[in-house]
Structures are given as C-alpha cells and as structure tokens.
Amino acid sequence: MSIRQEILFGKKYVFKNDMKQIVFFTLLLSSFWTFGQKKTLQAQPISQSISIDGKLNEPEWDAAAIASDFVMFEPDNGKSIPESRKTEIKVLYNNDAIYIGATMYDEEPNKILKEISQRDNFGTADIFGVFINGFNDGQQNFEFFVSAADVQGDCIMTDAIGEDYSWDAIWISKAMLTDKGWVVEMKIPYAALRFSAENKQTWGINFFREIKRERKKYTWSLIDTKIGTFTQQNGDLAGIENIKPPTRLFFMPYASYYLNASEGQKTYGTMKGGMDIKYGINDAFTLDAILIPDFGQAKYDDQILNLGPFEQQFNENRAFFTEGTDLFNKGNMFYSRRIGGKPSVEPDLNDNEEMIEDPQSVNLINALKVSGRTKKGLGVGILNAVTEKTFGTIKDTITNETRRAIVEPLTNYNVLVLDQRFRKNSSVSFINTNVTRNGHYRDSNITGLAWDLNTKANTYSLYGNVKYSTINDTEDTKGFYSTVSFAETSGNYRYSIGGDYVTKDFDPNDLGINFYKNYYNFYGNVNYRILNPTKLFNTFRINYNMYSEYNKDSGKVQEANINANLNLTTVKNNYYGMGITVFPVEMYDYYEPRTDNRYVTIPRKFDFWGSISTNYNYKFALDLYPTLSVADEPGRAAFGIDIGPRYRFNDKLLLTYTFSVLKKNNNKGYIDSYDDDDNESTPETIVFANRDVTTYTNTLSGKYAINSAMTLNLAVRQYWSSSENKNILELDSDGTLDPYPQYTENKNSSFYSWNADLSYSWWFAPGSQLSALYRNNASNFERIIDKDFKHNVTNLLTNDALKHIFSISVKYFIDYNAVKNKVRKRA
C-alpha cells in the first residue's frame, strides 16, 4: 500500500489534532505532486570507455545522477516500491553510445528467478528494461530488456501496435547476481536508436523492473493505467549534448549448407550464400534489403485438414517480413505470406494431361523496405519484393511427353504507407498495395484510408478505415470495404460500438487476406474491469458483446450472437476464464456452399468455453481449455479440450506438452458440386455431407539453455484429423438439406502429419549467430479412414515416409563504424 493509500484507508491513521491534519494534507499534496510531475534524470557525459561486465566499478558511475523512487505499474498501479526492493539507475554517454547502470536491491536474493531462455523470451526470470524515445514525442519507444539470467530482449513499442519483438538491435549487456540483489550494465550504441541532430537534446525515457516471483512490475515514471496510453508517460533524460548520429550502415553476410535425404531420392547437398543490408538514410529512415534470401530454417507451418470454404492462414516466420513492420500493418491490408506463397495461375490441361510437378511456393529474388518517421510525426513505409517466373510440368498420359507451363509469372509486390500522427495519440494513414504480374495475368491495386483518433485525455476513441480494390483480370472488378467504431477507453466501465460494410467484389487477396464479403454488420461491447487489485483478484474483467451480420443483397441474417465472458487473475497469479455465446436465431451461411447467391441454414446453438492457466512461476504448471457447442438439431454438437502441462526442471531445462482433441458430431459441410450438362437451366447441384469430424494434436516443445547465448530447442507436432461422411445430402434453394443417396463417390478425408525440429543456436558475437537444424517431416492424405491412432502415427515414422534435412547457417554482423574506427587506429 502506498503512503497515500495508507493515509486514506489505514485504520491506524486517526487524526485527533490539527498537527496530524497538517501532516496528512502535507503528505497528500506531496503524493499528488509526486504522481503529477514529469520526472527528469540528468545524463553524465564521459570520455573514457566503460567495460560492460555488470560490476559498475568505474569512477564515472559514482559521479552520475540517480533515478529511483519506482512505482508499481501492475497489478497495484501507483503503489511505491518497498525500500527493501529499491532500484537505482544511472545514465552515462559518450560519442558512441548511451550506458545504463541499474542496481536492483532484493532482501531475498536467493529467491530471484533466473530461468535462461532464448532472446526475446524471458521465461520465468526477473527483468530490467529501459524505454528510450530520442525525439521525446510520445509516439514510439525503443525498449531494451535484460533478465536476471543475462538474456537480452528488445522491441519497438507503439500504443497502436503494442510491443513488436520481431525488431532486433545490436547492443551489449551484462547481468550479475549479488548478495544484495542483481545488477545490469548496458551499452546501447546510437545506431540502435533514433534521435535528431540537435546539439542539445532531451530524450523521453523510462525504466522498468519486474519481480517475477510476485508478478509485480514497476516503472520509474508512473504509467497510469487509467489513461490508456503507454508511450506518452515517459520521463525526461536531459544533459545529452554535442553528439552526432553515426552512419547507420550494417552488413549481415550469411552462408548456409543444406543436406537433404528421402526415400527414392539420392541424398544431396545445397550451398547458399547472401547478405542482408541495413542503412540509415537519415536520422529518421532506414533501408533494409535482402540479397539472395534464405528462409530454409524458418519454423514449419502447422498444416491442418481444411474442410472450410477459406484457405488456411499461416503465421509469418521469415524474419525480414516480421522485423519492424508495424507501419505496414496499418489498415490490415498486408498479408506477407502472399510473397513467395502458392502460385496464382492454374494451367489449362487437355483431357489426356496431368500435372506432375506443381510448385507450392515461388522463389523470392530480392526484397527491400524503407521505413521511419519524421520529427513531425509523419511515418513513411515502402516495401517492395520481386518473385521469379515459375513453371510447372505437365505430362501427356498417352504419349508420355511433357511440357512446361507458367504457374506464376515474374511478379512485383509493393506496399506504400503514409501515417501521420498528431497530438501524440492519434493517426491518419494512407495505404496502397499493388501486385503487378508480367504479361497478361491478374493485377491488383488496393487503396485504403485508416484513422485512429483519440481525445487528448485518452478517454474516447474513433477508429475505422475505408478500402477500395481494383482487379485487372479476364474480368475487371472493383470493390469497397469500410469499418468504423467508437469506444470509451478509460475507467472501470468501458464500451464500444461499430459496424462494417463490404461489397461483393471487394478483393484484397493478392497481397492481403479477406474471407468475408457482401455483408454489413453491427456490434457492441460493454465491459467492467478493476484497475487495482482486491483481496481476491489481481485482475478482473467481465465483458458483454453483441454481434449481428446481414447479407447485403438479401438482408438475411448471416450471423447473430450474444456473448458474455469473464477473465480474472487471482492474488496467487492463477488465471481463470469462462464464456458463453448464444446464437438465438437461425442463420444463413453464404460461404459454405461455395457458389454465389446460395446459402445453407445454420440452426440455433450455444457455445461454451473455459480456461485455466496456473502460475508459471512454479516448476509445474498446467493450461486447460475445454469447449462445448450444442446446436438446436438432434445429435449435432461439438466438444474439445486442450491440456497443456509444463515442467521447468531447473533454470536451463523446460519441457511443455499439449494434447488437443476436438470432436464434431453430425457436422454438415460441403463436399462437391456439379452442373447438369444436359439442362443448363437447372441450378448447380451442391452436395453436402452429414459427417463426424475428429482431430487429435500432440505437440512437445523443449528448451535446454547451455548459457544465455547458447540454446538447444526441440519442437515436435503430430496431427491427425478425419472426416467420416455418414450420409450424403443435397442443398436445396431454400438453404435446407435433403437426403441425396444417388451420390456414391467417396469423399471421406483423413490427413495426418508429423514435424520435428531439433535446433542449436549460438550468438557468438553481438548480432552474429551460428545455427544448426535437423528437421524431419511427413504427411499423407487419404480417402480411406484408418481409425487405428497408433498406425496413423507409425505410418509416418518410417524411412519410406520421412524427409530429412540437416542445415547449418552462419551469419555475421559487420558494423561500418566499427570497421572504420579500426582502420583509422591502424593508420
């Protein structure tokens, strides 16, 4: 409890005379003054070099000013840090870098949590961080973290996007445990920051500390959770004078070797090499380029048996397309997996031809991006990528002759974003995406305008965007999308309302992803949350949501639901959640039939979910997620459960296992369609099935940290999903389903897959990494369902089925300034 809280609420403070009242009001005003004033820390200039060893024993540290008096960010916002946990920060700077020295006191140093993990993944460990805004404009923080296990993490933070940990900077740090707590020493080169070229500067800065065993987070400058913004509540770092932003030019050459082996194919090796380049055009803008890219060690995709009308959406695992891409996500118009993804052209086949080589991806020739933000808040992002002309092979089944056909022409992808921020908390963005294919192939151009407007006090927001798509193909189309919402964003009680409007021909899918169109909807939310802990809860939030969606042409209800959910964290930091969604009326699904203007009727139903996640601070923790769905139709229901135990053997070894099962009984879904060739006036016959769908997933992940720079990682996933059709149905024009026994084709589905990655990573120098990966994988799709679970797994774990890849890659970070300085010294 803070001094102010103790005075207001503590039973022992009973004022019986004027002197005590004077003390009360003096302390009260002091408390308001402490929390209402912006803190300032003076940086100390130095001329000598500092050894980054976590000891803070150079005399320069003794002369530096101290930042202290931390206050809690979460869970009890505004409460002062105990004296036994006091935190003292000092800042030095010279012509090369800014230096941070942090001393975190702890009366029980043997209880400091210090799990060793990978970079940007702190695990169960205490954390210290510094947030720096070189322009002090409240728009964007560069955040640098070090754990008590000496693990680094860094990210870019904006209020609109949150923390983007895909951004990686090159800096040096060292953490040391002591008998009084722990110490962090950091050197952050100016090349990792953005700031102006003015001779005298004041930066925005904040410091962060998390005491993991208590799940308590503290900051130097109070971040008031009632305000609803993070980056605007920094303190000031004064005293930085006469430094010049260095030339930001970095080269990251790499070399990789891949050894491939599989049944029926001779083992072969492949050598690759290339380079990434990062260049600071000026103090605000950076150019990133990849020459001869190599994504062979990117994480595998979690493929599924996809029975729905839409493609499976995959996460982006390629570093170039995840690092510093917050600008390109404006308006939700950019889906980077389109670049180098599945080819867009389906070659015409004659009756006696078949596709014998059908590429599932396209090679990327090169890519670059330019991004940054001016001092006046104008953000500019340009991304360009080129993919190569790609061919498939077609075979004549009679003559055995083969021919090549284009499946993807030479293609250029481009994204342009202009994002103007103002008042430190609002923005208006212009976005354009363009895909141009060489020759007479499909081209697309999507233009959007997005806005995120907030009141000065961050109490209300108006959010929305409009988009316009133009497709040039055999038939040109134009489409429109719009969304707008209004919300109260502060206080215990909050609400939001909004709506969307989408035309039938809106199509951003050449460089974006959008599934639903030709509808309009309305939605609203009311919620209550606690802003400070109670005797029972650290966090508590209850939500009530309403949603209704209508087909734009017919006005029929495509979806209507009412949802209530509860999420809370106990004082022991165990999480519990539950929710129920009621669909009170029949709905009309215009997507599952996969034919324009046809729909299938969906019965009323309700969904229920629950969630438990125990405190990860304990060696053993458990995640549990049950679900249930019951429809107003005999026997139509679904139920599932995810069970995820995890065990931390020590600070180096962690294993996590997850078992998931989902069963859908009497599920109704599309399996086929065909036209009556003899009668063109007859509507297309759309065939559905009444089916049972069962899915099992087992995943195992493990981490063994040799030290803070060297880790071994294991990732295994086994997946099996089957869809067994019990009886065949025909979709009528009124959306109902009737028996259709004359359809006899087997459309059962069984897909099972196996993926296993064992990797080694060693950051042997700042920004430089050696990585080795052994990967094996296999998958199979069948129409005959084998219900022997063991057999489905072991079928893939044979030399006949498995594909093996061993790869080793080395990338080395070269700083132009470091090379230049070494050359000068030798001269």
Side-chain angles (χ1 to χ4, degrees), residues 89-148:
I89 316 297
K90 300 178 179 181
V91 177
L92 311 176
Y93 74 94
N94 58 19
N95 288 326
D96 299 320
I98 184 172
Y99 299 83
I100 313 294
T103 303
M104 279 70 65
Y105 290 92
D106 195 312
E107 79 279 16
E108 297 179 295
N110 59 311
K111 292 185 178 181
I112 294 174
L113 296 174
K114 50 186 184 305
E115 180 189 357
I116 307 173
S117 58
Q118 289 181 291
R119 182 185 177 117
D120 292 334
N121 180 9
F122 301 110
T124 307
D126 281 26
I127 303 169
F128 168 77
V130 55
F131 310 155
I132 299 175
N133 183 331
F135 291 105
N136 202 15
D137 57 5
Q139 297 176 7
Q140 178 175 265
N141 285 341
F142 290 81
E143 300 184 355
F144 305 85
F145 300 92
V146 182
S147 77

Side-chain angles (χ1 to χ4, degrees), residues 440-474:
H440 301 290
Y441 295 95
R442 172 184 166 116
D443 298 330
S444 74
N445 190 80
I446 319 297
T447 301
L449 182 69
W451 59 88
D452 183 6
L453 309 177
N454 297 272
T455 58
K456 188 175 182 179
N458 289 293
T459 52
Y460 297 94
S461 73
L462 181 67
Y463 170 87
N465 60 68
V466 293
K467 309 169 193 175
Y468 186 75
S469 67
T470 302
I471 305 299
N472 298 317
D473 202 353
T474 52

Side-chain angles (χ1 to χ4, degrees), residues 504-537:
K504 180 181 293 186
D505 292 325
F506 177 69
D507 186 359
N509 290 314
D510 289 84
L511 195 46
I513 189 164
N514 181 74
F515 297 144
Y516 301 98
K517 55 186 180 181
N518 199 40
Y519 72 91
Y520 59 92
N521 65 26
F522 307 98
Y523 48 86
N525 165 269
V526 178
N527 64 79
Y528 169 79
R529 72 196 67 194
I530 62 172
L531 299 177
N532 292 92
T534 67
K535 292 182 178 180
L536 298 176
F537 308 119

Side-chain angles (χ1 to χ4, degrees), residues 166-168 276 290 293-301 314-325 334-342 361-367 369 383 385-387 413 511:
S166 65
W167 177 77
D168 287 322
D276 294 355
I290 50 175
D294 176 25
F295 303 122
Q297 291 192 339
K299 184 184 181 296
Y300 57 78
D301 290 322
F314 294 109
N315 294 328
E316 180 58 83
N317 299 316
R318 301 169 296 181
F320 178 84
F321 294 106
T322 61
E323 292 178 358
T325 56
F334 178 47
Y335 177 46
S336 59
R337 288 297 296 264
R338 297 291 185 210
I339 301 173
K342 187 176 181 179
S361 62
V362 179
N363 289 332
L364 180 65
I365 297 175
N366 57 54
K369 58 189 176 188
L383 186 146
V386 179
T387 57
Y413 299 86
L511 195 46

Side-chain angles (χ1 to χ4, degrees), residues 249-296:
L249 178 58
F250 311 113
F251 303 95
M252 283 158 281
Y254 76 86
S256 302
Y257 179 76
Y258 294 85
L259 186 65
N260 298 266
S262 61
E263 182 66 20
Q265 178 177 279
K266 185 178 179 180
T267 300
Y268 66 96
T270 304
M271 190 74 182
K272 295 183 179 181
M275 181 182 294
D276 294 355
I277 299 173
K278 187 183 291 285
Y279 174 62
I281 300 172
N282 55 29
D283 58 344
F285 293 94
T286 302
L287 180 147
D288 293 271
I290 50 175
L291 308 176
I292 317 176
D294 176 25
F295 303 122

Side-chain angles (χ1 to χ4, degrees), residues 191-394:
L193 304 171
R194 305 292 180 270
F195 53 90
S196 70
E198 297 175 359
N199 289 331
K200 189 174 183 178
Q201 303 191 28
T202 299
W203 293 358
I205 199 165
N206 209 344
F207 305 106
F208 171 87
R209 178 183 180 183
E210 180 176 8
I211 301 174
K212 195 70 173 183
R213 68 180 182 272
E214 297 178 354
R215 295 290 182 94
K216 292 181 178 178
K217 301 175 182 179
Y218 297 88
T219 57
W220 172 61
S221 179
L222 172 67
I223 298 175
D224 189 341
T225 56
K226 294 188 293 294
I227 293 179
T229 180
F230 191 94
T231 59
Q232 298 170 44
Q233 302 190 64
N234 289 336
D236 285 342
L237 181 67
I240 298 179
E241 300 179 1
N242 301 317
I243 61 171
K244 300 296 180 183
T247 301
R248 292 186 290 118
L249 178 58
F250 311 113
F251 303 95
M252 283 158 281
Y254 76 86
S256 302
Y257 179 76
Y258 294 85
L259 186 65
N260 298 266
S262 61
E263 182 66 20
Q265 178 177 279
K266 185 178 179 180
T267 300
Y268 66 96
T270 304
M271 190 74 182
K272 295 183 179 181
M275 181 182 294
D276 294 355
I277 299 173
K278 187 183 291 285
Y279 174 62
I281 300 172
N282 55 29
D283 58 344
F285 293 94
T286 302
L287 180 147
D288 293 271
I290 50 175
L291 308 176
I292 317 176
D294 176 25
F295 303 122
Q297 291 192 339
K299 184 184 181 296
Y300 57 78
D301 290 322
D302 293 339
Q303 292 185 317
I304 64 172
L305 174 62
N306 187 5
L307 300 173
F310 307 119
E311 65 181 295
Q312 182 182 353
Q313 184 173 357
F314 294 109
N315 294 328
E316 180 58 83
N317 299 316
R318 301 169 296 181
F320 178 84
F321 294 106
T322 61
E323 292 178 358
T325 56
D326 58 306
L327 267 176
F328 302 106
N329 293 321
K330 294 287 183 178
N332 195 27
M333 292 171 57
F334 178 47
Y335 177 46
S336 59
R337 288 297 296 264
R338 297 291 185 210
I339 301 173
K342 187 176 181 179
S344 62
V345 179
E346 293 186 7
D348 293 328
L349 299 178
N350 298 321
D351 291 339
N352 58 329
E353 288 184 326
E354 63 179 2
M355 202 86 174
I356 60 172
E357 290 183 8
D358 188 12
Q360 295 302 300
S361 62
V362 179
N363 289 332
L364 180 65
I365 297 175
N366 57 54
L368 64 85
K369 58 189 176 188
V370 176
S371 60
R373 191 174 296 275
T374 68
K375 189 176 181 180
K376 294 185 178 181
L378 177 62
V380 179
I382 300 172
L383 186 146
N384 187 268
V386 179
T387 57
E388 70 179 14
K389 188 176 184 179
T390 306
F391 294 87
T393 302
I394 299 171

Side-chain angles (χ1 to χ4, degrees), residues 474-692:
T474 52
E475 181 180 344
D476 295 347
T477 60
K478 297 178 180 180
F480 177 78
Y481 174 101
S482 65
T483 182
V484 64
S485 65
F486 176 80
E488 182 179 4
T489 56
S490 66
N492 296 91
Y493 294 92
R494 306 184 189 189
Y495 66 87
S496 65
I497 55 173
D500 305 336
Y501 180 88
V502 187
T503 64
K504 180 181 293 186
D505 292 325
F506 177 69
D507 186 359
N509 290 314
D510 289 84
L511 195 46
I513 189 164
N514 181 74
F515 297 144
Y516 301 98
K517 55 186 180 181
N518 199 40
Y519 72 91
Y520 59 92
N521 65 26
F522 307 98
Y523 48 86
N525 165 269
V526 178
N527 64 79
Y528 169 79
R529 72 196 67 194
I530 62 172
L531 299 177
N532 292 92
T534 67
K535 292 182 178 180
L536 298 176
F537 308 119
N538 279 338
T539 64
F540 180 94
R541 176 171 172 171
I542 187 168
N543 298 280
Y544 177 77
N545 307 289
M546 297 183 67
Y547 181 86
S548 59
E549 180 183 302
Y550 306 90
N551 181 268
K552 191 176 71 67
D553 294 334
S554 68
K556 288 182 177 293
V557 177
Q558 292 188 170
E559 187 169 339
N561 67 69
I562 301 169
N563 166 266
N565 62 78
L566 171 68
N567 299 272
L568 61 90
T569 306
T570 68
V571 291
K572 293 186 177 181
N573 292 303
N574 296 312
Y575 164 80
Y576 299 91
M578 62 178 297
I580 185 169
T581 304
V582 178
F583 299 81
V585 298
E586 280 191 340
M587 299 166 289
Y588 302 90
D589 185 346
Y590 280 81
Y591 306 106
E592 184 64 22
R594 306 172 203 199
T595 300
D596 287 344
N597 302 316
R598 297 292 299 273
Y599 58 86
V600 61
T601 303
I602 305 297
R604 296 176 299 176
K605 65 173 182 173
F606 77 87
D607 296 343
F608 169 82
W609 63 269
S611 183
I612 298 173
S613 181
T614 62
N615 191 342
Y616 283 8
N617 284 358
Y618 300 116
K619 286 184 175 293
F620 177 79
L622 179 68
D623 294 326
L624 190 65
Y625 184 75
T627 60
L628 174 67
S629 178
V630 178
D632 185 17
E633 182 179 296
R636 188 168 180 175
F639 57 92
I641 190 167
D642 295 353
I643 303 174
R646 50 184 283 143
Y647 190 78
R648 179 164 44 87
F649 294 84
N650 50 46
D651 288 335
K652 294 185 174 184
L653 179 60
L654 170 69
L655 287 178
T656 302
Y657 169 72
T658 303
F659 170 73
S660 303
V661 59
L662 177 63
K663 289 182 175 288
K664 299 179 181 179
N665 295 331
N666 294 309
N667 173 263
K668 309 296 191 296
Y670 170 96
I671 59 171
D672 202 357
S673 62
Y674 56 90
D675 294 318
D676 187 347
D677 296 333
D678 298 328
N679 188 351
E680 295 183 0
S681 64
T682 302
E684 181 181 26
T685 299
I686 300 176
V687 185
F688 272 56
N690 179 39
R691 61 200 182 188
D692 289 342

